[in-house]
Amino acid sequence: MSQHAASPEAATAPVSRAFASDSWSGAHPEVIEALALANTGHVPAYGGDPVTARFQEVARELFGVEAEAFPVFNGTGANVLALQAALPRWGAVICARTAHINTDEAGAPEKTGGLKLFGIETPDGKLTPELVAREAWGFGSEHRSQAGAVSISQVTELGTAYTPDEIRALADQAHELGLVLHVDGSRLGNAAAHLGASLRELTTDVGVDLLSLGGTKNGLLGAEAVVVLRPEAADGIRYLRKIDLQLASKMRFISAQLVALYEGDLWLRSATRANELAQRLASGVRALEETVPGVRIAHPVESNAVFVELPAEAATRAQSAFAFGAWPTQPGLYRLMCAFDTTEADVDALLTALAG
């Protein structure tokens, strides 16, 4: 047997799941099927193919006739590309301190995009106009980076969801100040499923200018997109995508995944499933609060994330059965993530492990 061939044991190994991240999940079978269907014949490269053309149609159906979509490889690339296209070289971005662009992208917006980030402390991961105002100053001063965008995560890194009214308030403020509003929508589908809103109601209809549209965390093999909702908000993005190493030559395979997810209701089915399992988990954890001292839900469960305070013994016991991580900024706090392929049995087994 070749040293690179899969062993029989590996082929029959039991399926394992984790609560560490929805990025740990596999790809949805319907996405794999779409990739296989796209793998036929020769088509133009770099987005000149019919599958990418179809995704452009899907984006306009979802977000409005002015929407223009730019498929990319990953979420960090989408965020950097969107913000870099919207801001000048001296521009700055106002965001929550916990925002993914500020804590989990290795400084990419600053190092690759050349953008200053103004991170603001928030109680729940969400910005408000009052919080934004703390950093929206110094316009015209050569001594301060010039704020050009407000960026919010939907859902936030703490699992909380912005309502349409909350987004509208931020958009109105940003536009009054001459700024654009960017949404890091890596889990936009989870927010929409929780709120019972359409994707458009959480973006175009409430004044969002730029969207990083997620896919990998909701069942794609690896595909995201920048969706420009207001054309003048991202001048030059067509050229920057290549400069930022995000232009796929065989783009049909990126676009095929996005079409599979967003052409119908797969995005909603997958996000709803993950959210429902998170609610099941949260209900079980709340029941444990009465029997396991120190267990407590730390943030509202408004997506597929459950933040739980755990005593060390319970955490160690559960981590021997399932992978999940401690939240780095708060001792004793753990993030438990559900995915589209999480099962009721997985959740119940985790709860059993926590209970001891």
Side-chain angles (χ1 to χ4, degrees), residues 46 70-89 105 107-115 182 210 212 226 234-249 251:
Y46 299 107
F70 297 85
V72 296
F73 294 113
N74 53 54
T76 295
N79 288 335
V80 172
L81 175 60
L83 293 168
Q84 190 179 35
L87 273 65
R89 292 177 60 190
E105 295 185 353
E110 296 177 317
K111 295 178 182 294
T112 301
L115 304 168
H182 165 256
L210 290 167
S212 296
V226 176
D235 187 35
I237 191 170
R238 184 176 304 279
Y239 311 108
L240 284 170
R241 180 167 52 165
K242 181 74 169 184
I243 294 171
D244 286 343
L245 315 180
Q246 290 293 320
L247 181 65
S249 55
M251 197 182 295

Side-chain angles (χ1 to χ4, degrees), residues 35-261:
L35 282 168
L37 291 173
N39 190 31
T40 304
H42 288 203
V43 298
Y46 299 107
D49 60 275
V51 183
T52 299
R54 175 57 189 148
F55 179 57
Q56 293 292 341
E57 295 173 353
V58 169
R60 293 189 176 101
E61 291 166 2
L62 288 173
F63 299 105
V65 295
E66 288 193 317
E68 187 172 9
F70 297 85
V72 296
F73 294 113
N74 53 54
T76 295
N79 288 335
V80 172
L81 175 60
L83 293 168
Q84 190 179 35
L87 273 65
R89 292 177 60 190
W90 52 89
V93 181
I94 298 172
C95 62
R97 187 191 61 78
T98 54
H100 200 272
I101 59 173
N102 192 47
T103 61
D104 286 288
E105 295 185 353
E110 296 177 317
K111 295 178 182 294
T112 301
L115 304 168
K116 172 68 176 176
L117 300 182
F118 293 142
I120 300 174
E121 193 71 40
T122 67
D124 56 1
K126 296 198 289 186
L127 290 178
T128 64
E130 293 74 23
L131 291 173
V132 169
R134 295 180 184 179
E135 293 290 355
W137 56 273
F139 297 105
S141 170
E142 64 267 39
H143 302 289
R144 179 172 169 82
S145 295
Q146 298 295 289
V150 174
S151 179
I152 62 174
S153 301
Q154 180 73 304
V155 295
T156 74
E157 277 63 43
L158 298 182
T160 51
Y162 286 91
T163 67
D165 287 344
E166 289 171 333
I167 299 171
R168 168 58 75 184
L170 289 166
D172 288 346
Q173 178 193 38
H175 296 158
E176 288 176 6
L177 294 170
L179 316 181
V180 299
L181 179 61
H182 165 256
V183 170
D184 176 353
S186 64
R187 297 186 178 95
L188 179 64
N190 298 96
H194 169 72
L195 295 167
S198 69
L199 299 177
R200 176 166 178 155
E201 288 171 334
L202 293 177
T203 53
T204 312
D205 289 352
V206 288
V208 174
D209 302 293
L210 290 167
L211 169 67
S212 296
L213 180 63
T216 308
K217 297 182 188 302
N218 201 17
L220 297 195
L221 183 67
E224 318 279 323
V226 176
V227 183
V228 181
L229 302 175
R230 188 165 58 86
E232 61 271 25
D235 187 35
I237 191 170
R238 184 176 304 279
Y239 311 108
L240 284 170
R241 180 167 52 165
K242 181 74 169 184
I243 294 171
D244 286 343
L245 315 180
Q246 290 293 320
L247 181 65
S249 55
K250 296 186 178 182
M251 197 182 295
R252 59 171 150 164
F253 297 109
I254 305 295
S255 300
Q257 299 176 65
L258 292 161
V259 170
L261 186 62

